Amino acid sequence: MTTYSEFPIGDLFEAVNGRAKFIRDYMDAHPGPYPVFSASLVKPFGYVDEYEFEGRFLTWVMNGYGGRVQEVEGRFSANRDRGVLIPKPVINRADLTYLRFAMEPQLVAAAVGRRVDGRLNEYTKIYPQTALEQVIQVPVTSTGDIDLDRMKEVGAKLRRIEAAQARLREVHETLDKARFPFLCAPPSITISLGDENFFRLSIGNRVLRSQHVTDGVPVYSANARSPFGHVESSNLQDFKYPSLLWGIDGIFDWNLIPAGERFATTDHCGRAEILDSRLDPAYLLAYLRMTRNTYGFDRVFRASLRNVKVNVQVTVPVDANGEISLSRQKELAASFYRREEAQLTALASISDVLGSRMAVDL
């Protein structure tokens, strides 16, 4: 069984601030091959013709996502948003991966500033004095010395796990982008969303955030999949037919609102009422979602009322007599949603694994 002792980070490392001179103007004037690290853990801030560190070091984010720790190897520099930890002799040959996992939770917890769910708008900071005061657990031998061999063993396991997680992220990304072909075998017909015998298209009215209420009628905007908020009453009149909603600006996607369900739309959301009961709403939603990337709609080529009427079509199965087949639509829709559910379940399982926190005591 491994024995651990607690050490302040300051007993193991010296902390060095990054240089304030590494701003965009300076870097533009001194281009070169050596990276300068800042608040981002994704990529360097830029490259210059000089370097201040050479070797393999632990660095931490001082401003931004305060306390996140990154291993950096080679010749590099850091700006004022990144600090560098210089190992003292007692820890000079220690496994940096182990130490990264040991110290990052402590540094993140000690950082101060704005914290939000999802880290999208987080801004926290932790400066050298506070960082060096944080205590981490380090394996020790029976004589009380730092157990470098055990640290190296655990670090190797952590690196293997990280490599496996990186491969799993690639699988997640590929699976998330996967789109199953929506095959509607002949006989079939093609119907344009501009065909007024089958659809009635409209766009909503402007809705201000000041009109929002805590509990009321959901209002949809550019993100058709999720309500923009709630309002006291709908700006629509007729809810007799099922409605297909699409986002005009941003990500072009579809949603389905059943007949009889009250909702509202803004001027960033389109509505296609399904007028013909021979068309299965679930089938239409599945078909439109699967083919939504074929039209090239974006913030420039907008999914406006006219563009949707002219460009968007659905292929609908018919029977041997050429009549629209509701039963075939339902079969195709059921098949699509089974595959979609399996895909979403797999993605959720992978996300759970990727979201698990690794411990250093392995």
Side-chain angles (χ1 to χ4, degrees):
M1 181 177 178
T2 304
T3 302
Y4 291 88
S5 289
E6 292 187 340
F7 291 83
I9 294 175
D11 287 357
L12 308 176
F13 294 91
E14 300 285 350
V16 178
N17 283 4
R19 297 286 295 277
K21 73 176 183 178
F22 291 117
I23 59 176
R24 184 59 62 192
D25 288 346
Y26 181 90
M27 299 179 70
D28 289 343
H30 297 81
Y34 304 114
V36 176
F37 290 91
S38 184
S40 173
L41 297 176
V42 177
K43 61 181 180 180
F45 180 58
Y47 295 83
V48 293
D49 57 1
E50 62 185 284
Y51 62 90
E52 298 193 330
F53 303 94
E54 182 175 10
R56 191 159 176 259
F57 296 89
L58 288 180
T59 68
W60 88 97
V61 176
M62 292 198 295
N63 297 297
Y65 294 141
R68 268 69 186 188
V69 181
Q70 185 176 39
E71 298 172 52
V72 177
E73 187 170 9
R75 296 172 174 176
F76 69 96
S77 298
N79 74 2
R80 59 187 177 183
D81 292 326
R82 182 77 71 103
V84 180
L85 294 168
I86 309 298
K88 293 182 176 181
V90 68
I91 206 78
N92 193 44
R93 295 187 301 107
D95 189 283
L96 295 188
T97 303
Y98 174 93
L99 290 167
R100 169 164 57 88
F101 274 87
M103 69 173 59
E104 184 173 82
Q106 312 306 320
L107 296 182
V108 170
V112 297
R114 181 178 67 239
R115 297 181 185 275
V116 294
D117 292 336
R119 291 170 52 181
L120 180 62
N121 295 309
E122 177 179 325
Y123 188 90
T124 54
K125 57 188 178 181
I126 178 169
Y127 295 131
Q129 185 59 41
T130 303
L132 294 177
E133 292 171 354
Q134 303 313 303
V135 175
I136 62 173
Q137 288 194 333
V138 175
V140 294
T141 65
S142 59
T143 60
D145 297 324
I146 293 176
D147 193 340
L148 298 177
D149 291 335
R150 177 56 178 161
M151 198 182 296
K152 182 177 180 180
E153 179 185 347
V154 175
K157 291 182 180 180
L158 291 169
R159 283 187 289 277
R160 289 196 295 271
I161 293 173
E162 283 192 314
Q165 285 185 325
R167 293 192 294 270
L168 200 55
R169 287 189 187 93
E170 292 177 358
V171 172
H172 186 282
E173 183 178 355
T174 301
L175 183 60
D176 188 41
K177 293 180 179 178
R179 294 294 178 264
F180 305 107
F182 201 101
L183 302 177
C184 177
S188 63
I189 59 172
T190 299
I191 302 175
S192 168
L193 260 67
D195 190 332
E196 296 181 356
N197 293 312
F198 295 94
F199 302 101
R200 181 166 60 215
L201 274 60
S202 61
I203 290 177
N205 301 315
R206 188 179 184 188
V207 176
L208 303 176
R209 286 192 177 274
S210 59
Q211 297 175 261
H212 288 197
V213 296
T214 303
D215 187 23
V217 177
V219 54
Y220 292 86
S221 191
N223 179 6
R225 299 285 290 265
S226 179
F228 170 60
H230 294 80
V231 291
E232 289 186 354
S233 59
S234 177
N235 53 10
L236 307 174
Q237 302 299 322
D238 191 353
F239 302 95
K240 178 181 178 181
Y241 301 103
S243 294
L244 292 161
L245 306 184
W246 78 88
I248 294 173
D249 304 295
I251 297 175
F252 177 59
D253 206 348
W254 294 88
N255 195 7
L256 173 65
I257 308 296
E261 186 172 313
R262 299 184 68 82
F263 63 98
T265 57
T266 75
D267 52 351
H268 296 284
C269 182
R271 179 193 190 193
E273 296 172 77
I274 306 171
L275 307 179
D276 195 317
S277 61
R278 295 175 299 170
L279 296 178
D280 180 58
Y283 171 84
L284 295 177
L285 178 65
Y287 187 93
L288 290 168
R289 281 184 176 170
M290 285 305 301
T291 58
R292 66 188 177 91
N293 292 325
T294 63
Y295 303 106
F297 291 135
D298 55 24
R299 292 187 183 275
V300 177
F301 181 49
R302 300 168 67 246
S304 64
L305 196 62
R306 182 181 185 281
N307 286 338
V308 168
K309 284 182 177 181
V310 171
N311 293 279
V312 180
Q313 299 176 327
V314 290
T315 300
V316 178
V318 297
D319 59 25
N321 298 319
E323 296 295 326
I324 293 175
S325 175
L326 189 58
S327 61
R328 285 186 62 198
Q329 290 177 72
K330 291 184 179 296
E331 290 173 4
L332 288 168
S335 175
F336 168 82
Y337 289 115
R338 283 195 300 269
R339 288 181 293 176
E340 183 182 58
E341 183 179 3
Q343 181 185 30
L344 293 175
T345 300
L347 287 170
S349 298
I350 295 173
S351 296
D352 287 342
V353 174
L354 293 175
S356 300
R357 180 176 293 277
M358 288 186 283
V360 296
D361 186 14
L362 297 175

